[in-house]
Amino acid sequence: MQKAQFVVPVDSAVNQTMDALYEVILIDDGSRDRSAEILDEYVDQYTYVRGVHQANQGITRTRENGIRPARGKYIFWVDADDYADKHLLAKTLPLLESGDDVVIYGTQYFWENGGRADNRIRKNIMDKINETHCLQN
């Protein structure tokens, strides 16, 4: 069970449907389980995956330590309890490349019993964004 919690978010980041090159930076923040070993297996298996091993430093320092070696223009975060849709990069990168400053998308929650719930952006927030966008154009 411990391995599945780690592998699912990593697999969702590693298996994006992208034609363009991208990199995945995996960070072991001082884990005491097999996470460091699993991280190294991904680094050995995929040429676009790099690994960082560090003593536990918490979320802020860990993210900073992930940004330093990054070579890409954009950064997407996938935390240990996240799952990225396999088309995430393919759908969002063209929007960013076309000049959009921010891309907002919804989330879904999945439970072990098979349940699922959508958490879409509230309409009133989108209305404010659309009003602002219309005023600027």
Side-chain angles (χ1 to χ4, degrees):
M1 190 63 150
Q2 195 89 15
K3 182 176 179 178
Q5 291 175 341
F6 181 82
V7 171
V8 169
V10 173
D11 281 345
S12 74
V14 169
N15 295 314
Q16 289 290 302
T17 58
M18 279 287 299
D19 290 333
L21 294 175
Y22 68 101
E23 68 180 333
V24 175
I25 300 172
L26 302 177
I27 303 172
D28 172 33
D29 189 30
S31 64
R32 295 182 181 157
D33 56 12
R34 289 190 57 242
S35 295
E37 182 183 332
I38 295 168
L39 181 152
D40 290 337
E41 290 171 8
Y42 275 91
V43 170
D44 291 342
Q45 185 175 357
Y46 299 95
T47 57
Y48 56 92
V49 175
R50 293 188 291 146
V52 175
H53 295 279
Q54 66 184 32
N56 183 277
Q57 297 181 33
I59 188 78
T60 303
R61 292 282 178 245
T62 298
R63 287 185 180 217
E64 289 172 353
N65 293 339
I67 290 171
R68 278 189 203 101
R71 298 181 195 136
K73 184 175 179 181
Y74 305 104
I75 296 177
F76 290 77
W77 299 110
V78 180
D79 293 328
D81 60 347
D82 294 340
Y83 172 83
D85 181 84
K86 66 183 178 180
H87 305 295
L88 175 65
L89 296 180
K91 289 180 178 179
T92 56
L93 283 176
L95 297 171
L96 292 168
E97 290 293 322
S98 72
D100 291 340
D101 294 320
V102 177
V103 177
I104 301 173
Y105 41 87
T107 60
Q108 289 183 321
Y109 297 94
F110 297 91
W111 291 275
E112 288 182 21
N113 68 3
R116 180 174 117 178
D118 289 341
N119 181 19
R120 301 288 178 207
I121 298 166
R122 292 190 182 124
K123 186 176 180 341
N124 62 346
I125 293 173
M126 288 309 298
D127 287 343
K128 288 181 182 178
I129 291 171
N130 288 334
E131 287 172 16
T132 304
H133 182 71
C134 290
L135 291 174
Q136 293 175 349
N137 287 331

